Amino acid sequence: MNKTILVLFKLNEEQKSFLEAAAPGCKFLYTRNEEVTEQQLNSASVIIGNPAPDKLKMADNLELLQLISAGVGEYAREGVLPEKAVLANATGAYGLAISEYMLGVLLELYKNLHLYRDNQAECKWTYRGQVKSVYNSTALIVGLGDIGGEFAKKLKALGAYTIGIKRTDSSKPDYLDELYVMDKLEELLPRADIVALSLPETKLTKNIINKSTLKLMKRDAVLINVGRGSAVDSEALCDALENGLILGAALDVTEPEPLPEDHRLWKMKNVIITPHVSGGFSLEETKSRIIKIAAYNLRALMEGKALKNVVDRARGY
């Protein structure tokens, strides 16, 4: 099939060859988001990458938009994509990198490593108090896709009791001790030492951690958010941290984002903030996994078979 495949992220020659082998006979164009032309967008049957959503109205021939992100954001909104186009995400590529990040920031807070780093900056040889262990803790993992599932496995291996929350009811995997749907969140929060969020942005997930739900959490609980910043009410979180309602928080995503320089969160000793970097391409293996997903879907499209990671645009995931 003589289709045009537009690739909007940087690949080396070996990676290009792997991708092209999935769609022999097709024309591959490689460029960057900021350099893509209207003609390229209009000619593309497949786009691999995350183009500016407002430019997709030019993509009249689009059959598949293969995102390189797990989240879909604006791409799922009505009118952004041509009606016939399939939207697929990169779920399955980020679980390794982000779950390791989550474990890292959890241990940083549990072992006071952030405080000892402050000591180091001030050349202070000072004890910073008692620490906590993942062993025998209770972890509530909210969102059980690739990322949440991988984090739950790691905690389970370290001796945590794992409770999962997902959008729809299903059978419980071995790495969870209990499994519920979202309407049980408030009932479960008081049990959790660790509350980990890896959720997409939808109407149902906005501000699920707020003034009232923060009051339900243990005073020595840790909150981790790697999904979307909108899941947490930032001002309510600041109040909770200032008043000692929870032990600490680790945020790779914030609301708003980027976090303004004058925001209260920056100054809090018991918060770890990173600029939405737990995923991305910081880990080379993540890019390799994305390329494999894209190649699979290219091959499936060429052969008329079912694609994976297809997004239900009405639900937003």
Side-chain angles (χ1 to χ4, degrees), residues 73-305:
E74 291 183 57
Y75 298 103
R77 291 183 183 170
E78 187 176 353
V80 172
L81 290 178
E83 199 61 38
K84 66 176 182 178
V86 174
L87 177 63
N89 66 12
T91 293
Y94 291 94
L96 173 65
I98 298 180
S99 65
E100 288 185 347
Y101 165 93
M102 295 167 79
L103 183 58
V105 291
L106 173 62
L107 290 173
E108 184 175 357
L109 287 166
Y110 262 20
K111 304 304 180 184
N112 292 336
L113 300 182
H114 58 306
L115 301 180
Y116 287 112
R117 183 67 184 185
D118 291 344
N119 278 4
Q120 182 178 339
E122 298 173 8
C123 305
K124 289 183 177 179
W125 188 276
T126 307
Y127 177 60
R128 298 308 298 259
Q130 294 291 108
V131 299
K132 291 171 63 67
S133 177
V134 176
Y135 179 74
N136 273 347
S137 66
T138 296
L140 180 61
I141 298 98
V142 188
L144 281 170
D146 177 45
I147 296 165
E150 287 298 312
F151 185 52
K153 291 174 188 176
K154 289 174 172 58
L155 293 183
K156 189 67 178 171
L158 290 172
Y161 187 87
T162 53
I163 305 172
I165 291 181
K166 61 186 303 185
R167 290 181 292 258
T168 55
D169 197 13
S170 64
S171 58
K172 182 181 71 64
D174 291 340
Y175 56 79
L176 291 178
D177 294 292
E178 300 177 33
L179 177 62
Y180 301 93
V181 292
M182 193 66 82
D183 63 3
K184 295 292 185 181
L185 176 66
E186 294 189 7
E187 182 180 325
L188 294 167
L189 281 172
R191 298 174 56 190
D193 300 294
I194 303 157
V195 179
L197 310 178
S198 55
L199 295 164
E201 183 172 340
T202 70
K203 292 177 182 178
L204 297 176
T205 62
K206 185 172 178 59
N207 283 353
I208 63 165
I209 300 299
N210 52 53
K211 184 176 181 179
S212 62
T213 53
L214 283 161
K215 287 180 178 178
L216 298 173
M217 292 172 63
K218 291 183 177 182
R219 294 184 77 87
D220 62 349
V222 166
L223 174 68
I224 303 171
N225 188 16
V226 295
R228 288 294 178 264
S230 59
V232 177
D233 181 332
S234 296
E235 294 304 320
L237 176 60
C238 287
D239 292 341
L241 290 162
E242 286 178 347
N243 294 316
L245 295 185
I246 63 173
L247 176 68
L251 309 171
D252 188 49
V253 290
T254 60
E255 180 72 21
E257 193 173 302
L259 192 65
E261 291 182 7
D262 60 352
H263 201 285
R264 285 190 287 165
L265 279 170
W266 286 116
K267 303 296 183 182
M268 295 189 175
K269 293 288 187 181
N270 51 346
V271 177
I272 298 166
I273 299 171
T274 50
H276 208 148
V277 294
S278 63
F281 293 156
S282 298
L283 183 67
E284 187 63 26
E285 175 63 21
T286 301
K287 182 182 279 190
S288 297
R289 293 182 178 200
I290 290 171
I291 293 166
K292 288 175 183 176
I293 292 167
Y296 179 96
N297 277 348
L298 273 181
R299 189 173 290 110
L301 184 68
M302 299 304 130
E303 297 174 358
K305 296 180 179 178

